[in-house]
Amino acid sequence: MRNFADEDKEFLKTHSYKPVTASGREFQVIDSGSGSQTIVFLNGIDTQQEWINYVSALEKNYRVIMMKYPVEIYKNKEMIAALHELFGKLGISSPILCGISDGGVLGQLYAKNYKVGGLIMMTTLTVDSAYVEGMKKEQFLLPLMKLYIKTVKFEKLRPALINAVKKHFRNETEEEKAYAVSFFECIGQDESYRYSYLRAVLATGDIYKLEKFKKSDFSYLDGKVLVLIPENDMFDKIGRAHV
């Protein structure tokens, strides 16, 4: 049976994170492969490890970038500015952005403000979705969530995160469910994920403050957008991306 910890350990034998500073903050970056096009992966809930199998598959034909975000940057407009500076330092002028969940929203925001070579969005949403409208109504809970994540003992936070993931299971096989649990057990081994998760929660809470996207914002990407939404997706399918 597949176990994510084994896959991650094997991946890190041949791939390593390197620090790159942008906007005065440190990104941890894996820069692999080569090719005329560069694919940059944008994380969901700050779990950059989710991309390792994609990197292994695509690095044969593309330059691929995966990264750990600086925990200090949680406003999405600040993050895209930092990413733009990061790409400049890495010599990337027109990346293909591949974002999942809140990373898909970040990709849309980046593509609206800077030119990209393509946009791939996986199980994601957009700023005018019903899901984001619901977030707006629950903003009063954000300070309580922030306090909880910062102060609760990590041995209690880890199982809480795993149980939260289990709530989103739909039609997965038992093996697929076990693999998903092994993923969060692996990334939750390091208490530093507490702060990455907090950054992701704050960044998600920032989405509703963004201006609504217009179709014209992405007209230059006509024919260069791929949206992958599972039939049993966790997000409401009303108010999808305009691209």
Side-chain angles (χ1 to χ4, degrees), residues 4 43 106 116 127 174 190:
F4 182 81
N43 316 323
L106 189 65
V116 301
V127 293
E174 291 304 313
D190 188 342

Side-chain angles (χ1 to χ4, degrees), residues 104-135:
V105 180
L106 189 65
Q108 293 170 62
L109 182 63
Y110 187 96
K112 174 185 175 182
N113 287 272
Y114 306 101
K115 297 298 182 183
V116 301
L119 191 58
I120 303 169
M121 294 176 289
M122 305 165 63
T123 186
T124 192
L125 65 162
T126 191
V127 293
D128 59 354
S129 67
Y131 187 89
V132 173
E133 285 298 316
M135 287 167 38

Side-chain angles (χ1 to χ4, degrees), residues 84-155:
H84 189 61
E85 183 177 326
L86 176 71
F87 297 160
K89 289 192 172 186
L90 295 175
I92 301 170
S93 58
S94 187
I96 297 172
L97 301 182
C98 180
I100 188 169
S101 188
D102 50 303
V105 180
L106 189 65
Q108 293 170 62
L109 182 63
Y110 187 96
K112 174 185 175 182
N113 287 272
Y114 306 101
K115 297 298 182 183
V116 301
L119 191 58
I120 303 169
M121 294 176 289
M122 305 165 63
T123 186
T124 192
L125 65 162
T126 191
V127 293
D128 59 354
S129 67
Y131 187 89
V132 173
E133 285 298 316
M135 287 167 38
K136 185 188 300 186
K137 296 175 183 178
E138 296 177 358
Q139 280 303 295
F140 71 94
L141 294 173
L142 193 58
L144 296 176
M145 288 183 64
K146 181 178 178 181
L147 180 63
Y148 173 78
I149 295 168
K150 289 179 69 173
T151 59
V152 69
K153 291 184 178 180
F154 194 62
E155 57 265 30

Side-chain angles (χ1 to χ4, degrees), residues 16 32 43 49 91 95 101 122 143 147 174 194 201 204 208 215 228:
S16 58
S32 182
N43 316 323
Q49 299 93 334
S101 188
M122 305 165 63
L147 180 63
E174 291 304 313
R194 174 201 298 272
V201 168
T204 301
Y208 85 91
K215 189 173 182 179
L228 302 172

Side-chain angles (χ1 to χ4, degrees), residues 43 46 69-76 79 102 106 194-204:
N43 316 323
D46 279 32
Y69 301 141
V71 296
E72 301 90 349
I73 305 177
Y74 64 89
K75 292 185 178 180
N76 291 287
M79 181 61 80
D102 50 303
L106 189 65
R194 174 201 298 272
Y195 306 103
S196 294
Y197 180 65
L198 176 60
R199 192 218 72 82
V201 168
L202 295 175
T204 301

Side-chain angles (χ1 to χ4, degrees), residues 1-4 6-7 174-179 182:
M1 182 175 291
R2 294 174 65 195
N3 182 284
F4 182 81
D6 296 335
E7 294 179 2
E174 291 304 313
E175 183 175 356
E176 288 169 338
K177 292 176 182 178
Y179 181 73
S182 76

Side-chain angles (χ1 to χ4, degrees), residues 5-37:
D6 296 335
E7 294 179 2
D8 188 52
K9 183 177 180 180
E10 193 66 25
F11 178 79
L12 292 175
K13 288 180 180 178
T14 54
H15 300 78
S16 58
Y17 291 95
K18 304 294 183 184
V20 183
T21 300
S23 294
R25 302 298 184 182
E26 185 177 280
F27 288 79
Q28 291 291 327
V29 178
I30 287 181
D31 185 348
S32 182
S34 62
S36 59
Q37 293 180 308

